Amino acid sequence: KMKRFVLNTKPQNIVRGKNGIQKMVEGNQLNRKYRRNIEKQIVRNMKTIVSQQRIRTQTMMKTVRNYQTSQIVKNTEGVKEPKKFEQLEKLKKKGVDMETLRKMRNIGISAHIDSGKTTLTERILFYTGRIAAIHEVKGSDEVGAFMDSMELERERGITIQSAATHCEWKETKLNIIDTPGHVDFTVEVERALRVLDGGILILCAIGGVQSQSLTVDRQMKRYKVPRICFINKLDRVGADPFAVIKQIRSKLGLNAAAVQIPIGLENQLEGVVDLIHQKAYRFDGNSGETLTEIDIPERLMDEVETRRNEFLEKLADADAAIEEKYIMEEDIEPEEIEEAIRRCTLSHSFVPVFMGSAKANIGVQPLLDGVEKYLPHPGEVDNYGLLTSNDGKSEEKTLIISDPKDNFVGLAFKLEESQYGQLTYIRIYQGTIKTGQNLFNTRTGQKIRVSRLGRMHSNKMEDVKSVGPGEICVIFGVECSSGDTFVNVNKWKLGMESMFVPEPVVSLSIKNTDKKKDTAFSKALARFQREDPTFTVTQDDESGETAIHGMGELHLEVYAERMQREYDCPVEIGKPYVAYRETLNKRVDFKYLHRKQTGGAGQFAGVSGYIEPLDIEGEVKYEFENAIVGNAIDPNYISAVDKGFQEAVDKGPLIGCPVWGVRVVINDGQTHPVDSSEMAFKAAAKGAFREAFADSNPTLVEPIMDVEVSFPQEYQSAVMANIAKKRGSIYKTSNAGEYMTAHSEIPLKEMFGYISELRSLTQGKGEYSMNYLCHRHAPNDITKQVVREHEQKK
């Protein structure tokens, strides 16, 4: 229908035709799977019409653009019109000097483990003059990468803690946070992206989009962080950057296109071709520090033209100005392309893809140019706080302005015990912080004095006197929690939007082996809990056993090792056990009377109602409703009843794990004029829940992991049989050369020690990664087995 409309429409019918298209779209008469084909047909037909009647074509373009904007681009994050930033408009109205903000970028470098994040950061610091020499991760010179300052990181060759630094590139100030790639330390990525304005997503040219790449993508989308991509390791055997771009589009759902192509691959990698300016570059010098412009190799001329057209087509899909020129076959200046890329990157409708090899010192400088040109400055990101009313009953969403002269607002996003003492990392959103200034914690109301102010360069600190909006700094000796908001106005109840903290999935028992180190043991556990919100500690009241809970075996093992190294406190850890949750499967009514007489005033409380299951994957894990008509229970005791049920679900009857997905409704009760009390009603609520839960066909819910296993195809049958044995469900497989990748969902209980099994099955050639997916109901036999083991421990 669209095709006939374009071919047959006369100028006088344009208005009627436009209305007809709108009606067709609203009536959903166009089958979705043909929309893209129709759009391409429109483009081809437009080119014919241009030669016949230019004015007619321009008029019709408006009709087509309206159709595309309302239907095709509607399903993406971006729009064809430039994104308008509320903060930017207010800054202009207030007359704030924007020069400092425009020359600032806050970026995070994130990727799947072993994709080259720290290696890339090392090159960035070298090319910007922040370090004098390049050192490799777990390098042969035994120095190690500058950003891996912890001894454990250098030994293991992985990043454990995110590290902050700052540098300058072509007069633009860069604040950089290098984040871990291992799923066990995902909270480090979470809090970094919460306070950053833009990101670099690194992808391996061989592995492509891997499990942690998906996690990082979700995190970037959660905090609406614009990103550019960098396909690394083009010098490795099997590198295929354009296959990776296809995965970016299909797996991550991004409108991505290459702005460069490589000159050679694998051991033939020499440089890159810039598709925007149509220039080729070689990276000379001992460390690739000299960027040399060269002629585009003759063998690449056809590919350059093809890839450039593909890139412009993808950009035209997201930007109206480029779209019109592209369809009209007009020349598009490089400056226009760069402006369009910036507009679309900030509106999340396009992702430019850069290429190179950080280890081979190829492609890093153009990537830095991309950071400067396409990622936002602090004024181009709208950040909001929640302003609580004086009575505490309502909250109002408030825009935070990057004005250095306004009231101070900062977010503490990371705590760290260092050689300098207790450090609190703060992202400044509004106002200016100075040494000697007084600040207030809006959560606790506590007043603090800024005695010392600094900026971090990995584990080294540089003292400063003041820091303005958009910056990241550290303050000393402040008792607070990660996620606290600081202001300079007392009783200003403003809180910045908090970050997402995943639930722990693995637990280990831990014991101090030297009784003389009890103080150090307690101090270490307290410090680690303050620094890491995914690390928690519990103690069993009956056995006195201490348990630590975290995101994985490696996560907890690292903390146990740090206790020994940093506190000289040797510990013994038990076998890992799963962070199960308990739940009910049906509605159960309850009527419970708590009566106790011990001489003098007794205890009397009665509660009636029912419990019923909620969705265990929903955000609400516990819900309480008072459905009592009248005063069968004195209103003053209702909160005590609620607290009693909350305490009951915090430690479930089956194995002492929290109960998820329970709704409690009370509709009747009994009160004694003398013997009733808050304590009595809390006890009644606990007893009622215990009895009702036992009759609700209770079961356990277990964490399920999204597991990605890579192995040579010759071991396919053995690996897949092993996955099935672990109660795994394979939902996708893919081949890359001689290797095969299986994506599956496997209960965490079955994954302990899996790396040893996999290496045994594949003669050491297999590897895997996993990421927490969700909690699901455990089979009855697993529930009975776990309950039985729990009873035996008692």
Side-chain angles (χ1 to χ4, degrees), residues 127 155 236 252 274-275 327 349 401 417 421 451 460 543 624 745 758:
Y127 297 140
E155 286 181 8
R236 295 270 299 274
L252 304 184
D274 180 350
L275 296 179
I327 290 178
S349 57
I401 306 296
E417 190 81 26
S451 59
K460 303 182 186 302
S543 65
F624 177 82
E745 297 174 3
L758 182 61

Side-chain angles (χ1 to χ4, degrees), residues 43 94 109 178 191 373 407 409 418 426 503 568 634 646 666 692:
V43 171
K94 293 179 73 174
I109 300 178
D178 176 28
R191 56 183 163 198
K373 291 176 181 177
N407 290 327
V409 179
S418 73
I426 291 185
E503 287 281 335
D568 191 25
D634 189 308
Q646 287 187 46
I666 58 169

Side-chain angles (χ1 to χ4, degrees), residues 20 98 187 231 245 267 354 420 423 478 484 565 570 629 653 676:
M98 296 290 295
V187 73
I231 299 178
I245 292 176
N267 60 355
F354 294 80
Y420 305 103
L423 296 182
V478 175
D484 282 354
R565 291 178 183 234
V629 178
S676 291

Side-chain angles (χ1 to χ4, degrees), residues 145-161:
F146 181 79
M147 296 297 282
D148 283 345
S149 57
M150 189 186 296
E151 186 181 348
L152 262 176
E153 292 178 319
R154 301 190 178 198
E155 286 181 8
R156 292 176 178 261
I158 62 171
T159 301
I160 293 171
Q161 287 186 330

Side-chain angles (χ1 to χ4, degrees), residues 461-493:
M461 195 198 66
E462 300 166 2
D463 284 296
V464 292
K465 295 296 182 183
S466 66
V467 183
E471 296 277 13
I472 294 172
C473 65
V474 292
I475 56 178
F476 290 78
V478 175
E479 288 297 325
C480 66
S481 298
S482 181
D484 282 354
T485 301
F486 288 91
V487 298
N488 64 342
V489 179
N490 193 14
K491 297 183 180 179
W492 188 21
K493 299 179 180 179

Side-chain angles (χ1 to χ4, degrees), residues 698-762:
T699 187
L700 296 178
V701 288
E702 60 181 350
I704 305 297
M705 310 304 288
D706 187 356
V707 183
E708 182 181 295
V709 188
S710 297
F711 52 90
Q713 293 189 34
E714 60 188 289
Y715 304 108
Q716 176 180 348
S717 58
V719 172
M720 291 192 167
N722 185 255
I723 291 174
K725 182 181 176 182
K726 293 181 173 297
R727 298 189 284 132
S729 171
I730 298 173
Y731 64 87
K732 183 180 179 182
T733 58
S734 58
N735 296 323
E738 297 180 355
Y739 269 72
M740 181 175 189
T741 301
H743 301 262
S744 57
E745 297 174 3
I746 306 176
L748 177 62
K749 181 180 187 297
E750 309 293 340
M751 292 304 297
F752 295 131
Y754 180 57
I755 188 63
S756 299
E757 291 183 52
L758 182 61
R759 286 171 178 167
S760 175
L761 290 170
T762 61

Side-chain angles (χ1 to χ4, degrees), residues 504 506-511 521 525-526 529 535-550 556 577 579 581 650-651 655-658:
V506 174
S507 302
L508 290 174
S509 62
I510 188 167
K511 183 172 65 175
F521 181 71
L525 291 177
Q529 286 185 92
F535 177 80
T536 59
V537 181
T538 59
Q539 191 163 20
D540 191 288
D541 294 334
E542 296 178 4
S543 65
E545 185 180 71
T546 301
I548 52 177
H549 315 274
L556 300 180
Y577 58 93
R581 298 294 182 260
D650 283 345
K651 191 173 183 181
I655 59 172
C657 290

Side-chain angles (χ1 to χ4, degrees), residues 353-593:
V353 181
F354 294 80
M355 302 181 184
S357 170
K359 192 168 185 178
N361 306 315
I362 293 176
V364 178
Q365 294 96 324
L367 177 66
L368 285 170
D369 289 336
V371 169
E372 179 193 18
K373 291 176 181 177
Y374 308 135
L375 292 182
H377 62 69
E380 292 176 313
V381 179
D382 288 339
N383 294 294
Y384 295 91
L386 297 176
L387 186 61
T388 306
S389 61
N390 291 330
D391 58 9
K393 293 182 179 179
S394 62
E395 289 182 336
E396 180 185 355
K397 200 171 183 180
T398 304
L399 181 69
I400 308 299
I401 306 296
S402 301
D403 183 353
K405 298 179 181 178
D406 212 331
N407 290 327
F408 176 80
V409 179
L411 178 69
F413 66 93
K414 178 180 169 66
L415 308 179
E416 182 181 297
E417 190 81 26
S418 73
Q419 58 182 320
Y420 305 103
Q422 172 72 44
L423 296 182
T424 301
Y425 286 73
I426 291 185
R427 161 68 195 265
I428 300 167
Y429 288 98
Q430 182 174 289
T432 302
I433 186 173
K434 301 177 182 178
T435 54
Q437 184 177 4
N438 291 327
L439 298 179
F440 299 90
N441 186 326
T442 61
R443 179 180 62 87
T444 64
Q446 181 185 7
K447 178 181 177 180
I448 66 164
R449 183 174 178 81
V450 181
S451 59
R452 191 179 176 190
L453 197 60
R455 300 184 67 198
M456 298 304 294
H457 180 40
S458 186
N459 65 334
K460 303 182 186 302
M461 195 198 66
E462 300 166 2
D463 284 296
V464 292
K465 295 296 182 183
S466 66
V467 183
E471 296 277 13
I472 294 172
C473 65
V474 292
I475 56 178
F476 290 78
V478 175
E479 288 297 325
C480 66
S481 298
S482 181
D484 282 354
T485 301
F486 288 91
V487 298
N488 64 342
V489 179
N490 193 14
K491 297 183 180 179
W492 188 21
K493 299 179 180 179
L494 180 73
M496 296 299 295
E497 295 176 329
S498 61
M499 69 176 185
F500 172 77
V501 178
E503 287 281 335
V505 294
V506 174
S507 302
L508 290 174
S509 62
I510 188 167
K511 183 172 65 175
N512 174 24
T513 57
D514 185 352
K515 292 299 179 184
K516 295 179 182 178
K517 299 290 184 178
D518 281 346
T519 302
F521 181 71
S522 301
K523 188 176 179 181
L525 291 177
R527 170 197 162 188
F528 295 151
Q529 286 185 92
R530 284 197 309 271
E531 292 182 358
D532 185 351
T534 61
F535 177 80
T536 59
V537 181
T538 59
Q539 191 163 20
D540 191 288
D541 294 334
E542 296 178 4
S543 65
E545 185 180 71
T546 301
I548 52 177
H549 315 274
M551 300 306 298
E553 290 179 82
L554 178 62
H555 186 208
L556 300 180
E557 286 172 5
V558 164
Y559 278 122
E561 196 164 343
R562 285 182 64 187
M563 281 185 188
Q564 187 158 350
R565 291 178 183 234
E566 298 174 26
Y567 288 88
D568 191 25
C569 179
V571 295
E572 184 180 287
I573 57 176
K575 290 182 179 180
Y577 58 93
V578 178
Y580 289 104
R581 298 294 182 260
E582 303 177 20
T583 192
L584 60 158
N585 286 305
K586 65 178 182 179
R587 169 176 163 160
V588 176
D589 294 332
F590 60 81
K591 185 175 183 180
Y592 187 86
L593 179 64

